[in-house]
Each structure stands twice: as C-alpha cells, then as structure tokens.
C-alpha cells in the first residue's frame, strides 16, 4: 500500500488540480491509483467538473470520491479563505468499491437506496450532503446489522443551501445523497477527538422524554448545574457559561468512565421554570451522563493526547474536522492539520472541514459535531 497527498492554491482550478496530483503522485511512484479523494474549495465549485476531469486525466484513478468544502486540508495546512485543491491518492492491495446513496421518501417514511453493504464488518469512507442525506439513520443501521464496521468521513460543507453541495464520485459530480468507498484488504484505525473533558459527577437519568431530560438522580438538571457551578474552579465556571455539553456513557458497565468513553452532545437549552434540559440527541431513562466543557486548550490537549498514543505507523491519513474548529476555535492557524502532521511524522494527509463528522466512539459509529476525526490507513 502506497499513499500520497498534494495541495495547490493556484487560482485556476485545472492548474491547481494538476499541481496537487503531481505532488500526490510523487508518493506513489509508478503504482496504479486505486482510490483518489478530491477536495476543492468553494471558489472552484462552478468548475467542479473541470477539477474532476483533470484529476482523472492526470492520475488515472480507478475510483474517486470527494467534495467541495469550506476549508481544504492538505498536509499541515488548512486553507480557510482562499482557493485550494487537495488530492489524496492511494494504491491499495484490493479493488475499491464506490457508491452513491440517496434517501427516498415513501408512504411509510423513507428508505436508504443505492447500495447494499456486504455481510460482516468492514471499512468505509463516507461523504454526505447535509441537506438531503440522514447519515445518522445509515449509521444506526450499520451499528445494528454490521457491528464492528468502521465508517469515517463527514458532511460536505461547501454548500450554503440545498442543491449547492457538490460531491465527487468517479466520473460524476452529484448534488445530493452521499458518496462512499468500501475498502478491502486494509484497516482503518479511527481517532475521534471530541475536544471536551468531563466535569463534575456522573448522573443517572431518572426522568426523560425524547431529547428532554427532566431529572438527573432525582433532581432537575438545573439544580445539578447549580451544584456544579458552586463547586468548580472559576475557569471552569467561565467555560460552563460559554457553552454546555453532556456526555452519554457508551459502556454502562464501565465503572470509571473517562476520556473516550462518552458520546458528547450539545445542550440546546435549560428551562428556568421546570429545570428541564434539552439535549441535541435522544436521552433514555437509566442512561449515565456527565456534563462536559470545551475550549481551545481542552481541544488541543485531547487531540494531542490521542495522537501521542499512536505507536503503529500509518501509510496515510484523512482528516475530517468540524467547521467550528479552525480559526473559529484556535488562536493559531492550521491547528488540527499541523498537529496531525507533526505527531504522525508527516504522513500523507488530506481532508476538509465538515458540517458534521463521522467516526466511531466506543465501537459504534456516530455523526458528531466539533470533533477532529482522523482515519489512519494501515495494512490489514
């Protein structure tokens, strides 16, 4: 397995794609390209077909996926404001199967059409349109039917309204659904940095309805929050005021949950009269949850710790980072890309910022927000 990545900020989409292919090609030598991942900035959205054609002419890939994104990641850089094209090329031991899925509405609700996943666990890259594709439904299906399957990717961030999304699939550019690549003969090692840390005690949900929590350990969430505010340090009190999150404990049998054991979701609001709390996901009675805080230092520490724990080298990596990170969170440019490149020894890297990131936590795949999700490719 050989992988290469290239980035170009040339103003012309054809020239930029050709230059990015040339840089990525240098990492493969004469090996044939099994899979290409193409990411262009919004500046090149009107010329998406041009970039796709140049990629296929210059690299000759068997399969292609990708998208137009708000921010383009290539190597140790994150291009947020200017035109950019990133190309990631892989020569893999077995053929890649690409697919296009769409959500089809029916009289009974709807179904996911366009691709049938094979039996047993596997590895998959997925890029979706946030306006037309219910990625969380697909992930729930895969978690239930094919446990152990690793899905990595994100929702394209290049469109600002329905119909503006551009997804690359082989020789086509589509504007809805999701594109993906099913990989065989390799292993995806997933790192999902949620950028949060737990604070206070773990509580059992004693009364809830849908995404609204009415009681935590017999008291209202507002009362529990007041307890927390009264006991934490001033710095944590300030972070609680900026934005509140809760972490669902994934493995209820774990006695002392810590980093990586929670699925973090945002708190949408707390009712001052009833004390109830609305969360950005369903919460069930009997679940264990803990309040979380997030800031620049915590997000940096969490990603840095995950990367420093990696001992096995990777042939290449794809970075799917939230569009709420970058310069919106960090005071230094290129934070996620430069840290991944530094800690992983300059591994061939490309990706984009997402309107929702896909990756496994606790052995199950989820759609996240504010994460840096990294797919490390190694031989199976």
């Amino acid at each position: 397995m050989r992988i290469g990545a290239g980035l170009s900020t040339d103003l012309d989409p054809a020239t930029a794609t050709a230059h990015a292919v040339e840089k990525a090609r240098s990492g493969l030598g004469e090996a044939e390209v099994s899979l290409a991942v193409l990411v262009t900035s919004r500046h090149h959205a009107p010329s998406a077909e041009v970039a796709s054609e140049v990629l296929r002419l210059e690299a000759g890939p068997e399969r292609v996926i990708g998208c137009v994104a708000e921010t383009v990641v290539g190597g140790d850089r994150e291009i947020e404001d200017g035109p950019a094209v990133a190309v990631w090329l892989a020569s893999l031991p077995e053929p890649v199967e690409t697919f296009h899925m769409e959500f089809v509405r029916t009289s009974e609700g709807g179904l996911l059409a366009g691709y049938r996943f094979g039996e047993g666990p596997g590895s998959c890259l997925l890029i979706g349109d946030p306006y037309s594709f219910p990625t969380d439904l697909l992930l729930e299906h895969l978690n239930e039917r094919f446990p152990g399957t690793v899905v990595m990717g994100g929702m394209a961030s290049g469109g600002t309204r329905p119909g503006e999304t551009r997804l690359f699939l082989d020789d086509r550019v589509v504007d809805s659904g999701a594109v993906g690549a099913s990989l065989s003969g390799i292993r995806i090692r997933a790192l999902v940095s949620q950028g949060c840390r737990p604070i206070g005690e773990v509580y059992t949900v004693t009364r809830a309805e849908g995404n609204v929590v009415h009681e935590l350990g017999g008291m209202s969430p507002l009362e529990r929050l007041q307890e927390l505010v009264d006991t934490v340090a001033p710095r944590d009190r300030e972070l609680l005021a900026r934005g509140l999150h809760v972490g669902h404990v994934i493995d209820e049998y774990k006695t002392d949950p810590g980093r990586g054991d929670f699925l973090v979701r945002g708190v949408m609001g707390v009712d001052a009269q009833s004390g109830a709390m609305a969360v950005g996901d369903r919460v069930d009675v009997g679940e264990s949850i803990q309040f979380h805080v997030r800031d620049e230092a915590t997000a940096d520490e969490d990603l840095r710790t995950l990367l420093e724990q990696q001992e096995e080298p990777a042939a290449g990596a794809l970075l799917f980072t939230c569009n709420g990170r970058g310069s919106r969170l960090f005071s230094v440019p290129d934070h996620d890309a430069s840290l991944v490149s530094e800690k992983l020894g300059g591994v061939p890297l490309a990706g984009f910022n997402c309107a929702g990131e896909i990756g496994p936590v606790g052995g199950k795949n989820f759609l996240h927000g504010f994460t840096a999700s990294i797919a490390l490719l190694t031989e199976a």
Side-chain angles (χ1 to χ4, degrees), residues 213-366:
V213 180
H214 295 281
E215 286 186 2
L216 292 175
M219 295 173 61
S220 75
L222 183 58
E223 291 175 301
R224 292 298 188 189
L225 271 173
Q226 189 59 57
E227 286 182 343
L228 184 60
V229 169
D230 291 342
T231 57
V232 298
R235 173 58 178 163
D236 286 338
R237 194 174 302 133
E238 179 184 335
L239 293 179
L240 285 169
R242 283 192 200 172
L244 185 61
H245 309 268
V246 295
H248 304 244
V249 176
I250 298 172
D251 183 359
E252 291 289 348
Y253 294 100
K254 195 152 191 175
T255 56
D256 188 21
R259 187 192 304 270
D261 296 324
F262 296 92
L263 175 64
V264 178
R265 292 292 188 251
V267 172
M268 302 167 65
V270 179
D271 185 80
Q273 291 187 335
S274 68
M277 174 178 69
V279 179
D281 203 350
R282 179 181 177 85
V283 181
D284 295 320
V285 172
E287 276 192 58
S288 299
I289 67 174
Q290 188 171 7
F291 291 113
H292 280 62
V293 292
R294 174 188 283 123
D295 64 348
E296 176 181 358
T298 300
D300 174 82
E301 177 195 1
D302 189 60
L303 179 57
R304 190 177 297 272
T305 300
L306 279 176
L307 293 169
E308 290 175 348
Q309 291 172 346
Q310 304 308 304
E311 298 179 354
E312 181 183 354
L318 290 164
L319 171 61
F320 307 98
T321 182
C322 179
N323 55 11
R325 293 171 70 99
S327 61
R328 294 184 175 109
L329 177 63
F330 299 104
S331 57
V332 296
D334 312 313
H335 177 274
D336 290 347
S338 61
L339 190 57
V340 172
S341 295
E342 174 195 345
K343 295 299 180 181
L344 299 183
V347 62
L349 175 70
F352 61 95
N353 76 345
C354 309
E357 310 79 58
I358 303 167
V361 174
K364 294 183 178 181
N365 299 294
F366 296 100

Side-chain angles (χ1 to χ4, degrees), residues 13-14 17-18 20-21 24 33 35-39 49-61 63-65 85-89 168 170:
T17 305
V21 168
V33 179
L35 175 66
V37 178
L38 171 64
V39 181
E49 287 80 3
V50 173
S52 174
E53 183 178 1
V54 171
L55 170 73
R56 288 181 286 109
L57 287 173
E58 297 292 332
R63 300 292 182 183
V64 179
I65 63 169
V85 174
V87 171
W88 186 91
L89 304 176
F168 298 109
D170 299 335

Side-chain angles (χ1 to χ4, degrees), residues 12-27:
D12 179 70
T15 303
T17 305
H19 287 173
V21 168
E22 183 179 6
K23 295 175 185 177
R25 252 286 180 202
S26 64

